[in-house]
Structure formats: C-alpha cells, structure tokens
Amino acid sequence: MGDRQPQLNGAYYGPSIPPPTRKSHSHGRGGCGCGCLGDCLGCCGCCILSVIFNILITIAVVLGIAALIIWLIFRPNAIKFHVTDAKLTEFTLGADNNLRFNLDLNFTIRNPNRRIGVYYDQIEVRGYYGDQRFGVGNVSPFYQGHKNTTVVGTKLAGQNLIVLSGGDRRDLDEDLKSEIYRIDAKLRLKMRFKFGLIKSWRFKPKIRCDLKVPLSNSNTTSGFKFQTTKCDVDF
C-alpha cells in the first residue's frame, strides 16, 4: 500500500477566499430605462413634467420678447385725465345723515400716442366725501383714436345715507362756511389698447381726482372758481 497523505488539521495561511457573489437585478433607476411598471410610470411622469416646464419657460420668454418689441415699436405714453369743469348746485347733509347732492363733472381724456388707439369699455365715476361714497355716474363706452382728446361728462345727483367720522365732519363744517367743498372723484375703468390690428387684454386702471368745488348758487364773495384738475392714474 502506498504512503497515506497526512490530514490537514493545521491553520491555512494561503490567500483569502472571496465570498460568493450575488446577482443584482437592475431596475433602471439611473435613467429612463425601466425595469418594472412602477419605475416606468415614475420615469415617464418625470419626463412629462420636464417637457411641460420647458414649454412654459419658452412661452414666457416669447411673450416677454413680443411685449418688448411692441413697446419699442409703439412707445406707449400714459393716458391723461383732467377734470375741466365741475358744477355743484346742492350738497346738504341733513340731521338724518342723508346727503342731498347735485354735481356735474366734465373730463378731458387725452391719448397722446401716435399708433395706439384705446377702447373704453366701461367708465364709472364715483363721488366721495372723505372716505364715504355718496354717488355714482357712468360714461357711455367709446373708442379713442390716435393723438386725440375726448371730452366726456357725467352727473351725480340724488341722496344717500353717509356717516362721517370726526375729522370728515369737521371738514364738512369748514366747507359749509367757505362754500367750497373737498370732493374726490374716483374713476373705475375697463379699457383695451389697439396696436394696428392687435387688441390688448383688458386693463382696469384706477383714476383719482382731488377736487375743490364751489357751490354754484352761493352768494359768496370769495371769487373762487373751479380750476382744471389733473387726475392721478394708477395702472
């Protein structure tokens, strides 16, 4: 019989044996390659949102460039509003806090632009004393051409219940003595601009006119006459 091999019962000092490897299953999380239905839906949703976001940015840039080009071509100037005449024949606050009033107002509206027309779809004139609105008038809609000045008028008449604060009440007492009344006319507009064949969206500017109006049928000797008043325009 041949020699027997001795049993290896000592320590082994050879190179380390690596652990067995496992097969990994890639689900395509690094890109749009999808390994399962859930990953595919998530990836597609991400791509759709990215496309929509890029489209919105592109639209915003195009609109901004178009607005800039239109402004450079037409160079729009601000519309100007003036109250040229005001006639007050009654402004009486009774003991029941009912204000009786009769006020006629004439406005000039100036469009200084050479290439821009204006559609006035609605003009509402509100009369205020202090912070209390006492009357409302309207102006018929119209179109205003280039480099044009239009004269419009309205009447505020009737009676309305108003409650004046301490300061406004003192102002009214002073106005009664001088027969010159501090009245605010506020205009609420709906207007559009016309650039050639293009019409803009509707704007709603706010116009405020701070007036000092003498009582027309008074016997005052102050000689005060109404002065043409420029209105503040806020777009």
Side-chain angles (χ1 to χ4, degrees):
M1 296 182 62
D3 297 334
R4 293 184 178 182
Q5 292 287 346
Q7 297 296 324
L8 300 176
N9 54 5
Y12 177 74
Y13 297 99
S16 61
I17 300 174
T21 58
R22 294 183 179 181
K23 294 183 179 180
S24 61
H25 299 280
S26 174
H27 295 289
R29 297 184 183 274
C32 283
C34 304
C36 66
L37 180 61
D39 289 334
C40 182
L41 292 177
C43 177
C44 292
C46 178
C47 293
I48 291 173
L49 289 177
S50 177
V51 171
I52 293 175
F53 184 71
N54 290 332
I55 291 174
L56 292 177
I57 291 178
T58 303
I59 292 174
V61 171
V62 170
L63 290 177
I65 294 174
L68 178 61
I69 292 174
I70 291 174
W71 183 86
L72 290 174
I73 293 174
F74 295 100
R75 294 293 181 96
N77 295 310
I79 307 298
K80 297 178 174 62
F81 290 79
H82 290 81
V83 180
T84 54
D85 190 28
K87 184 178 181 181
L88 183 66
T89 55
E90 185 178 12
F91 203 81
T92 306
L93 184 64
D96 55 356
N97 286 325
N98 269 307
L99 178 69
R100 293 171 177 82
F101 55 92
N102 194 321
L103 175 64
D104 292 288
L105 295 172
N106 285 335
F107 298 86
T108 59
I109 305 174
R110 174 66 179 170
N111 175 16
N113 298 285
R114 294 181 179 180
R115 301 174 182 175
I116 300 175
V118 185
Y119 288 97
Y120 297 93
D121 297 327
Q122 179 181 332
I123 302 179
E124 183 182 80
V125 182
R126 302 176 180 180
Y128 282 81
Y129 192 87
D131 60 353
Q132 295 291 309
R133 187 176 73 182
F134 62 82
V136 178
N138 291 284
V139 177
S140 299
F142 65 95
Y143 171 77
Q144 187 177 40
H146 315 149
K147 302 286 287 185
N148 182 268
T149 300
T150 305
V151 179
V152 297
T154 189
K155 175 186 281 291
L156 283 68
Q159 64 178 16
N160 202 358
L161 179 67
I162 65 172
V163 180
L164 299 178
S165 63
D168 292 336
R169 186 70 197 207
R170 287 190 295 271
D171 290 343
L172 180 60
D173 292 338
E174 294 176 3
D175 293 351
L176 287 170
K177 293 177 182 178
S178 66
E179 295 186 322
I180 302 171
Y181 294 84
R182 288 165 278 190
I183 294 173
D184 294 335
K186 297 182 181 180
L187 282 67
R188 296 294 182 269
L189 277 67
K190 293 181 181 179
M191 57 191 293
R192 294 169 293 151
F193 295 102
K194 182 181 179 183
F195 311 90
L197 299 177
I198 302 174
K199 296 178 183 178
S200 73
W201 55 88
R202 183 172 288 175
F203 292 89
K204 297 180 181 180
K206 297 178 181 179
I207 293 94
R208 176 170 177 163
C209 316
D210 297 332
L211 309 175
K212 291 184 178 180
V213 187
L215 194 64
S216 297
N217 58 357
S218 67
N219 296 320
T220 180
T221 59
S222 65
F224 180 84
K225 294 183 179 180
F226 178 80
Q227 304 293 322
T228 296
T229 304
K230 182 180 180 180
C231 305
D232 295 327
V233 181
D234 181 11
F235 275 88

